[in-house]
Structure formats: structure tokens, C-alpha cells
Amino acid sequence: MKGRTIVLDHIAGREAAALMVDGQLDDFLIASDAPPPGTIYRARADRPVKGQGGMFLTTPDGPAFLRQVKRLAPGAHLLVQVTGYAESGKAIPVTAKLLFKSRYAIVTPEAPGLNLSRSIRDEAERDRLLEIAHDVMEGHGFGLILRSSCAEVAAEAIAEDIEAMISQARQVLEDDGKGCETLIEGDGPHVLAWRDWTDPAEVVTEAGGFEDHGVLDALERVRGIAEPLPGGGHLYIQPTRALVAVDVNTGSDTSLAAGQRANFACAKLLPRALRVRGLGGQITLDLAPMAKKDRRGFEAALRAALKADSEETTLAGWTPLGHYELQRKRGRVPVSEALS
């Protein structure tokens, strides 16, 4: 089955969305009991964490942690936004820099200025989009980022999207309530699919779509630890309390170049394998044996593969034992956890 298909359905009583590309599961979103990223609270400062420059907060959904706090006294109320999913037993990660994000526009109240996605390179198109942005944003004082999905989209649709985010931002920022409260709930999987999967695709909304389009079979593989590599070999992906361990196995290939081939295949495949499993945090790669001269090429291949990935990932580098480490944002709920 060729092409892109977005399937909106439910599984295990939870709303979920799947992106199938050429018959393969390329992305998967599922609702969880935890507050989703994008949720905005009026929270109360509780206690500072000495040495870390942070503050524990109280929210309607439990304790949260805000980093890099200055001049915030315990007992004060402030607006914060959820940035990711917390590990079990840990506080919800939040930020005081609010973003209001939709399909075409991101309104940034604390960062004034108009910006366009760098991927839009046509000068005439950039001028058209900036003109739309100036017309809609005039007099508001907020910042704006126009996303890459704006390219070639009708002015009316972009303007409507910007205005909706401005309205939402004003509603939150003009809030004068007291106590802890949820002001905006983060987007669920179906809205996120509309917001972020913007390339042309067939959209399936009928019940049973996951079964009809092979999503359930793909999820069975995702819930396991093995991810096959092209040409043989596997990645073995195992989340632990401290980190996600990834072992690169060459399988039956015993040639001198087997390790290099498997490691470069890992670089290309890893972002999708982590994405569909919803895994983040510290990632440690136990790579197959290869010459040190090939390390730079491996890093370049991994960096190129991560460019198209939806989750922010930092390449930390090599350890003395020859492992490779990454730090990945916990922007997804782990699929195994949501379906357990």
C-alpha cells in the first residue's frame, strides 16, 4: 500500500491517531491519563530547589517543576504550560513561556516579532505570508511564527488560524482568577494529527480503521523490543528506569563491513523506532563493532535522519566505552504504558 494515510480511531478505550507511510507505521499518537503537552495552568509556587534554580509548583493535576526561576516567591500564582510527559513518580515538566500552536501559526506572547519557517525559501511566497501576518497581527503586540505548512495555503485559512490563536492567547493572559486551575487543555491525538501531519494524505475516520489499515499489526511489533534492520540484523530497544537502551545486532551477517552497515541502518531507522514507541529521555546506543574512522559518518547520518523528526533530540556524543548517547524530549506517552 503506497502513499500516506492518516487513521483516526480508538484503541483500548483511548483516542489515537496513526500515520501510515507506504504501508509502514511512521508515527503514532495516543491519549493517556497524564496531562498532554500544551496544557496551561494557573499554578501556585510551593518551594524552590536550591542548587537547581527551579521551583516545585502545585497544579490541578499534581506537582509540577519549573526550571530557571527568578524572583518567584512561594505562594505566588503564575501561568505555566506543560512541555512533556513526566516519568512515573516525577513532577510534570512546565515552562512559563507560553505558546499557542495551531496548524499554520504559533503565537508567542513573550517573544514579539514575525517569523517564517526557514523551509519556506521562495521569496515571493515569503513576502505573501509576511503580508498576511502583518495585516492580522497589527496592534496585538504578540509574536508570531508561521509554520512550513503555510506554503501555498489560501490567505483566508492562514488568517483564520492566526486569529484563533490570538483569541486563545488573550483569553489566557487576561485571566484574573484565583487558585490553581486548568485554563487550556492540551490537544488530543486527533487534533494533533490535523495540526502536525500536514503533508497530503488520505484521512480515514471510520471506526475500525486501525484494523483495516494494518495499524493493529504494526502496534504488535512496536510493543515488542525488536526492530528489524534492512538487510538483516535488528535493533533491540529496551526502556529502563534510567534510560532507553538500544542494542544494534548484525544478525547472521559476519562480514567485515557488517557492523558499519548495521550502524548506518540504525541511524536511519532510529528516529521512527523511538517515535512510534513514544520513547524519550536518555538514549544509549550499544553499536555494532566498526572502525573509529566511520564514527563521523554515523553521526552525520543520524543527524540527517533526526532533521525530519518531530521530537527535539540532542546528540550528546560518544562514551569512553564506545556507546553513543542522545537526549530526547519526552513529548510522547510511551505506547507500551498507554496500552498496558
Side-chain angles (χ1 to χ4, degrees):
M1 182 174 60
K2 298 294 184 180
R4 293 168 59 90
T5 304
I6 295 171
V7 188
L8 308 180
D9 203 348
H10 289 75
I11 183 171
R14 298 182 183 276
E15 182 179 295
L19 174 62
M20 302 294 288
V21 177
D22 296 335
Q24 183 179 49
L25 183 63
D26 190 75
D27 207 344
F28 185 73
L29 304 167
I30 186 167
S32 78
D33 297 328
T39 298
I40 297 177
Y41 301 119
R42 186 192 317 115
R44 183 185 68 243
D46 277 349
R47 59 183 178 87
V49 181
K50 294 181 180 179
Q52 294 187 27
M55 176 78 76
F56 279 107
L57 314 175
T58 293
T59 77
D61 291 317
F65 186 70
L66 177 65
R67 297 182 181 276
Q68 299 177 337
V69 173
K70 293 183 180 179
R71 297 184 293 276
L72 180 61
H77 285 84
L78 70 161
L79 299 177
V80 294
Q81 187 169 41
V82 177
T83 59
Y85 288 96
E87 295 178 82
S88 177
K90 293 191 176 181
I92 303 165
V94 296
T95 179
K97 297 179 180 179
L98 308 184
L99 298 177
F100 298 86
K101 187 174 182 179
S102 190
R103 185 178 176 93
Y104 302 125
I106 304 174
V107 168
T108 58
E110 296 183 15
L114 304 181
N115 297 280
L116 299 181
S117 168
R118 292 180 180 177
S119 65
I120 303 176
R121 298 178 179 176
D122 182 84
E123 288 300 324
E125 180 65 3
R126 292 180 67 87
D127 290 342
R128 182 185 77 94
L129 293 173
L130 282 173
E131 185 176 348
I132 296 169
H134 279 291
D135 289 344
V136 180
M137 296 297 294
E138 187 174 2
H140 288 294
F142 295 155
L144 176 71
I145 301 170
L146 289 181
R147 306 181 69 192
S148 59
S149 53
C150 287
E152 308 302 329
V153 172
E156 294 78 8
I158 297 171
E160 181 179 333
D161 212 42
I162 297 172
E163 288 167 352
M165 291 302 95
I166 290 173
S167 176
Q168 191 177 85
R170 289 209 175 280
Q171 175 188 343
V172 169
L173 296 175
E174 293 173 1
D175 167 73
D176 59 359
K178 306 297 181 184
C180 298
E181 185 179 348
T182 301
L183 302 181
I184 296 286
E185 291 193 0
D187 293 331
H190 290 182
V191 174
L192 282 175
W194 167 81
R195 193 186 83 183
D196 293 338
W197 298 345
T198 57
D199 289 343
E202 176 191 2
V203 180
V204 176
T205 59
E206 294 81 7
F210 281 173
E211 182 174 5
D212 295 341
H213 291 267
V215 177
L216 296 184
D217 291 338
L219 287 175
E220 282 302 310
R221 292 191 295 273
V222 164
R223 294 175 72 178
I225 65 170
E227 185 77 29
L229 292 173
H234 287 81
L235 301 182
Y236 292 98
I237 304 170
Q238 295 181 281
T240 72
R241 176 75 178 176
L243 51 81
V244 176
V246 180
D247 178 58
V248 182
N249 187 286
T250 61
S252 60
D253 188 350
T254 58
S255 66
L256 290 175
Q260 182 199 43
R261 280 197 295 266
N263 291 338
F264 277 65
C266 164
K268 185 175 180 180
L269 181 67
L270 185 66
R272 185 192 65 81
L274 296 174
R275 187 168 63 242
V276 298
R277 288 170 171 77
L279 297 178
Q282 181 179 325
I283 317 291
T284 298
L285 309 182
D286 184 12
L287 297 168
M290 70 176 178
K292 283 190 176 182
K293 65 182 178 62
D294 294 323
R295 286 184 173 186
R296 183 172 296 180
F298 168 81
E299 289 184 66
L302 182 57
R303 189 174 290 108
L306 287 167
K307 276 188 177 180
D309 192 39
S310 55
E311 298 300 335
E312 180 182 345
T313 303
T314 300
L315 304 184
W318 300 91
T319 72
L321 292 178
H323 297 145
Y324 194 79
E325 294 185 331
L326 307 91
Q327 185 69 36
R328 185 174 176 85
K329 180 180 177 181
R330 298 182 188 274
R332 308 286 183 89
V333 59
V335 169
S336 58
E337 179 182 307
L339 295 179
S340 62

